[in-house]
Amino acid sequence: MKLEPIVHIENDFYEKFGILRQSGIVPLPSKIYFKPEYRVIEAFRGLEGYSHIWLIWEFSKAIRENWSPTVRQPRLGGNRRMGIFSTRSPFRPNPIGLSVVKLDEICLHGNYAPYLLVSGADLMNGTPIYDIKPYLPHIDSIPVAKGGFSETTANYRLNVVFPDTLQKQIPVHLQVGLIELLAQDPRPSYQHDSKRIYGFTFGEWEIRFSVDNNVLTVCKVKHNE
C-alpha cells in the first residue's frame, strides 16, 4: 500500500519541544492546506455539518529504522517503561498519528482555498497529513471507556505565572492557549531542576521559563527577527 500526503498543517509549533502532548487539550489555531489536486470544492460538501474531524498523519520528525517494544512514558516520570501499544508515543513500528481537532471554518475563497481552520491540533508546523475524516460523536465517543494508566495523570497541570509585561508581547488571541500549553508542562518529565531555564519556539517568539515545584514562571519572551 502506498500512502501519499494530501494535506499539510501550518501553525505556531516549529519544534517538538513545547508541542501539545495530546490533541483537543489547548484550543490553539492551525490551518490545513490541501495539495492542488485536492482543492476541489465538491470534496468538502457536507463537511460543514461536523464540529470536529480526525486527522491521520505522519510523525515525520520521529522516523526511525528500528522500533522498541517498550517506551519511557513521559507522564509517568520518564523512568517507567510501558508497552508501545499501550501508549501514544511517536516512536512506533509505523510512524502514524491520529488526532481529533475542532473544525472552526471551511474557507472556500482566497489563496489555497478550499482550506480548513482548526483548533486543538498536536502536530508540528508542516506535518504531512494522509487523510481527514469526520468525528462522529454517537460512535467515536464512548463514555464508559477505560483510560488505563493515563488516568493517573489526567488532571496533572502546573500553575503558570506569566508577568503582564511579558504576556502582552503575545497577540491577545494566542495568550490563553499559550498559558494552557505551559500549564500542561512542556518539559521532559525526567527533568526537575528548579534552577534550569527551559525554552521553546512558539510562532514568532522564544518562550523561556523555569519550574519550581508545581509553579511554572515565564521569565523571558523574545520576538524572533
Side-chain angles (χ1 to χ4, degrees):
M1 182 174 63
K2 183 178 180 180
L3 296 178
E4 293 288 343
I6 65 170
V7 186
H8 76 275
I9 195 166
E10 290 190 5
N11 56 31
D12 291 315
F13 298 120
Y14 293 160
E15 57 188 47
K16 289 187 290 184
F17 189 94
I19 199 168
L20 301 174
R21 296 182 187 275
Q22 299 292 340
S23 63
I25 298 176
V26 181
L28 286 168
S30 297
K31 294 180 180 179
I32 293 179
Y33 291 113
F34 291 77
K35 287 187 174 181
E37 59 266 39
Y38 301 107
R39 296 174 195 160
V40 181
I41 291 180
E42 287 78 8
F44 298 81
R45 186 181 300 156
L47 188 60
E48 72 279 358
Y50 296 93
S51 64
H52 293 74
I53 57 174
W54 288 105
L55 306 179
I56 302 171
W57 50 282
E58 179 184 64
F59 286 104
S60 54
K61 301 300 183 181
I63 297 177
R64 295 181 175 181
E65 292 185 1
N66 301 312
W67 72 286
S68 172
T70 62
V71 294
R72 298 182 187 277
Q73 189 64 7
R75 283 298 193 213
L76 298 180
N79 295 315
R80 183 179 173 188
R81 284 191 170 273
M82 303 300 291
I84 182 64
F85 300 125
S86 69
T87 77
R88 296 190 177 185
S89 167
F91 304 110
R92 318 193 67 78
N94 290 301
I96 296 174
L98 180 66
S99 300
V100 63
V101 298
K102 185 176 182 296
L103 177 59
D104 296 316
E105 186 178 352
I106 304 172
C107 300
L108 300 178
H109 305 285
N111 294 333
Y112 311 111
Y115 62 92
L116 308 179
L117 301 182
V118 302
S119 55
D122 57 344
L123 288 69
M124 282 182 61
N125 181 67
T127 294
I129 300 172
Y130 292 117
D131 202 359
I132 68 169
K133 295 177 183 290
Y135 176 89
L136 307 179
H138 62 289
I139 295 175
D140 296 335
S141 177
I142 306 176
V144 297
K146 295 182 180 180
F149 61 82
S150 65
E151 291 185 346
T152 61
T153 59
N155 297 319
Y156 173 81
R157 59 185 293 111
L158 299 174
N159 296 314
V160 177
V161 176
F162 202 153
D164 290 341
T165 55
L166 299 178
Q167 189 176 155
K168 69 180 183 180
Q169 298 183 46
I170 305 296
V172 174
H173 72 284
L174 295 176
Q175 290 177 9
V176 173
L178 176 58
I179 291 173
E180 183 59 29
L181 184 157
L182 293 168
Q184 296 296 319
D185 195 353
R187 300 174 301 165
S189 294
Y190 57 84
Q191 293 183 357
H192 300 282
D193 185 354
S194 62
K195 296 182 180 179
R196 180 167 181 170
I197 302 299
Y198 301 88
F200 65 95
T201 299
F202 177 73
E204 301 176 5
W205 304 271
E206 183 76 18
I207 310 298
R208 297 196 174 277
F209 64 92
S210 61
V211 180
D212 188 5
N213 291 321
N214 201 45
V215 178
L216 183 151
T217 301
V218 177
C219 54
K220 186 176 182 180
V221 174
K222 179 185 177 183
H223 187 271
N224 294 322
E225 300 297 335

